[in-house]
Amino acid sequence: MVTLGFVGLGRMGGSMATHLVRNGHEVVVYDSRPEAVEAMAAAGATPAESAGAVGDAAEVVFLSLPGPEAVEAVASELAATTDADSVVVDTTTSTPGTTRAIADPESGLEATVLGAPVSGGVSGAEDGTLTVMVGGDRATFEACRAYVDAFAENVFHVGDDPGHGHAVKLLNNYLSATAMVATSEAVALGQRAGLDIETMCEIFNVSSGRNSATEEKFPEYVANGRDVGFAIELLAKDLRLLGEFAEDKRLPLLLAGVVRSQVGRTRARYGEEGDMTDIYDYVRETTGADEPTDAS
């Protein structure tokens, strides 16, 4: 049996690793937080003392880390304990350039790298219904497909370039953030005119204004006062990475600047632990949507 490794056991990584264990895989895990490792050990995983130790014990190592800097640091550790027969599957929301850099043999990491970021949020990770966008060698992807299927419902191979998966993920999150900002403004204006969220979303969702925010975030979360589980800090980070990607490709994204500004203002207002849905609260607060008006 192939031994799997998992480095990074946060709200996303912990759930993905748990699905691997539940599917009968032998999984060696590490996180900088001892309590996260202990929780996975209780679930049936084997704890390791470092990321390097995970690479020493496992043939396929999954990463779920905060961002590119953490990926580079862990890849450096894995370079000392993995070899050409190893595979590193990076599910982190990172940059295409970072993924290509660690996949380059000159980086010191001999393992084959698959860039495999995920979409679906904490609930998708918990339910095992994530979407995974994989860039990298197709044969390696096919060999690892069964492991990815343990926590994913939709899996796409988007190209042989290891960075392609992360490129698609950044573009996806840009569209998601744009939909959230635009829908927040539309709903706030509608409320100012006396409409309710449920009615507006019901109409939007059978009309041309339909998007991810109208279909799920507003009717299921905002209308019920619940967080969607995607920290505004992470969204701000993703938009920063998108900007770096666009700059690298010398292709300006004009609307991205507006969206990033609104997300940044929301982050400043509600703090780094604020939720993506706080964008709507910020728009409502700053536009005075709750204030009475005689205008129709």
Side-chain angles (χ1 to χ4, degrees), residues 113-117 133-137 156-166:
V113 174
L114 296 178
M133 310 146 231
V134 186
D137 178 66
F156 299 90
H157 182 255
V158 299
D160 292 333
D161 186 325
H164 278 168
H166 284 104

Side-chain angles (χ1 to χ4, degrees), residues 56-255:
D56 191 44
E59 291 95 327
V60 179
V61 180
F62 287 84
L63 309 181
S64 181
L65 301 167
E69 295 81 5
V71 170
E72 291 170 350
V74 170
S76 180
E77 287 190 57
L78 292 175
T81 57
T82 56
D83 55 34
D85 294 325
S86 304
V87 178
V88 173
V89 183
D90 183 18
T91 72
T92 308
T93 298
S94 186
T95 65
T98 298
T99 312
R100 293 190 191 104
I102 66 170
D104 188 330
E106 293 187 3
S107 72
L109 181 65
E110 296 182 38
T112 300
V113 174
L114 296 178
V118 302
S119 180
V122 174
S123 61
E126 292 173 346
D127 296 339
T129 59
L130 293 170
T131 293
V132 185
M133 310 146 231
V134 186
D137 178 66
R138 178 174 281 277
T140 303
F141 161 72
E142 296 293 349
C144 296
R145 175 66 187 263
Y147 313 137
V148 176
D149 283 342
F151 52 76
E153 189 172 80
N154 302 293
V155 182
F156 299 90
H157 182 255
V158 299
D160 292 333
D161 186 325
H164 278 168
H166 284 104
V168 175
K169 175 59 191 296
L170 292 178
L171 298 175
N172 175 79
N173 281 20
Y174 169 42
L175 293 176
S176 176
T178 301
M180 186 66 198
V181 170
T183 303
S184 294
E185 292 183 339
V187 170
L189 177 57
Q191 285 190 303
R192 187 77 184 272
L195 299 171
D196 64 81
I197 292 177
E198 292 85 351
T199 299
M200 284 187 281
C201 287
E202 184 177 0
I203 294 169
F204 296 153
N205 288 333
V206 293
S207 304
S208 57
R210 182 178 66 254
N211 62 64
S212 60
T214 64
E215 287 187 324
E216 179 184 16
K217 296 181 181 71
F218 273 79
E220 296 186 24
Y221 293 92
V222 173
N224 297 309
R226 297 166 52 206
D227 287 348
V228 76
F230 187 28
I232 196 70
E233 166 73 5
L234 295 179
L235 183 57
K237 181 263 294 183
D238 291 353
L239 291 172
R240 173 177 61 81
L241 298 182
L242 172 77
E244 294 175 6
F245 174 42
E247 183 175 348
D248 179 63
K249 293 300 179 184
R250 299 182 181 179
L251 196 157
L253 300 176
L254 302 182
L255 186 57

Side-chain angles (χ1 to χ4, degrees), residues 266-279:
T266 303
R267 175 188 173 193
R269 171 64 180 83
Y270 294 97
E272 295 184 356
E273 297 304 316
D275 186 75
M276 182 181 190
T277 54
D278 288 331
I279 293 172

